[in-house]
Amino acid sequence: MSLHGKQVAVVVPAYCEERFIVGVLVSMPSWVDHVIVVDDASPDGTADRVRSHGDPRVRLLVHGSNLGVGAAIASGYHAALSLGAEAVAVMAGDGQMDPADLRAVLDPVVGGQCDYVKGNRFLHSDRRRMPALRRLGSAALSRLTRGLTGLDVDDTQCGYTAIGARALRSIPLDDLWPRYGYPNDLLGMLAARRLRVTDVAVRPVYAEEASGLTPLHPPLIAFVALRRFVLERRRRALGPAA
């Protein structure tokens, strides 16, 4: 299989996605080498659906307790590196990410044009399908993250991403913020190491899935972004051994 001669893995974080997870797995293109589903201690039948799927590319990891989506992605990243993946994408287990966009998300990483690709729903012609409050909130959080990281990125809350193995090995994965807000923390890590980050247009998908967004999330994300900014400044001040 492989994409342009490079081994590709897709990490699928999942929590209570028994209705959607098989649809996500079925949608994986044939050129994907590894699919790593990380079930974050779902109390429903998510893990059973994955086990019964039958695709030999699929590997299931199950957390013993609910650690959060950021922790699930970190577990998936570690597994992808151990399998020899050279580029790793993230697709949610709820079907909110169009598989038709996967190649466009991965191509810049596989081709060496950048280290990390961030999906950007605001660039897509279907951007008006995003709920208005979500668009406004994401835009505000993107401005904050740009100001703290210096990265020219938008739609920072979009979880449709791809990253190269070299970049993954250069960041402290085990220190990634474990829950909602992890994208902002990861962008801060990448910016501090001067890794190349770019945006790619992806289609926003909204169907039956429920949003987990609450009024508490914007201040939480602001805290996460500021925390990473302070941690990276401290690391630089302490020198390379920090």
Side-chain angles (χ1 to χ4, degrees):
M1 306 291 184
S2 74
L3 180 62
H4 305 308
K6 300 289 181 70
Q7 277 210 44
V8 167
V10 178
V11 172
V12 182
Y15 179 72
C16 293
E17 304 295 359
E18 64 178 354
R19 290 190 299 157
F20 305 107
I21 191 65
V22 172
V24 173
L25 298 179
V26 167
S27 75
M28 291 293 167
S30 62
W31 44 260
V32 172
D33 299 283
H34 309 288
V35 182
I36 303 161
V37 180
V38 185
D39 181 355
D40 196 25
S42 300
D44 68 354
T46 298
D48 291 335
R49 293 291 180 91
V50 176
R51 290 188 187 100
S52 63
H53 178 56
D55 186 334
R57 299 176 298 168
V58 175
R59 177 178 179 180
L60 173 66
L61 306 179
V62 180
H63 284 172
S65 59
N66 182 262
L67 303 177
V69 62
I73 290 170
S75 293
Y77 279 156
H78 280 303
L81 289 174
S82 72
L83 291 168
E86 296 164 272
V88 188
V90 173
M91 288 182 68
D94 59 7
Q96 281 196 359
M97 297 171 186
D98 189 344
D101 292 327
L102 182 59
R103 186 163 189 155
V105 170
L106 276 159
D107 268 344
V109 172
V110 171
Q113 285 85 43
C114 69
D115 300 296
Y116 185 74
V117 166
K118 196 85 179 64
N120 189 336
R121 297 162 294 184
F122 301 152
L123 293 176
H124 198 277
S125 57
D126 286 350
R127 60 187 174 276
R128 294 291 177 185
R129 295 192 62 201
M130 291 180 66
L133 285 176
R134 186 174 293 199
R135 285 203 312 271
L136 290 171
S138 294
L141 292 166
S142 296
R143 284 195 295 272
L144 171 66
T145 304
R146 283 198 302 273
L148 290 172
T149 64
L151 294 173
D152 184 20
V153 293
D154 209 352
D155 195 12
T156 55
Q157 304 319 116
C158 179
Y160 207 164
T161 64
I163 190 169
R166 183 184 69 85
L168 270 181
R169 292 189 183 98
S170 74
I171 60 176
L173 268 180
D174 293 331
D175 190 40
L176 182 66
W177 186 259
R179 298 191 179 273
Y180 194 93
Y182 78 88
N184 312 79
D185 197 35
L186 182 53
L187 286 169
M189 290 179 179
L190 297 168
R193 287 152 185 83
R194 303 191 179 186
L195 295 168
R196 299 164 299 165
V197 178
T198 193
D199 277 352
V200 166
V202 297
R203 185 172 75 92
V205 180
Y206 296 97
E208 301 175 49
E209 69 286 336
S211 171
L213 191 65
T214 75
L216 295 176
H217 282 132
L220 170 63
I221 292 167
F223 165 76
V224 170
L226 285 165
R227 169 185 172 272
R228 178 53 52 189
F229 178 76
V230 171
L231 287 173
E232 294 298 344
R233 286 195 65 178
R234 185 180 301 161
R235 181 183 65 86
R236 286 195 298 272
L238 292 173

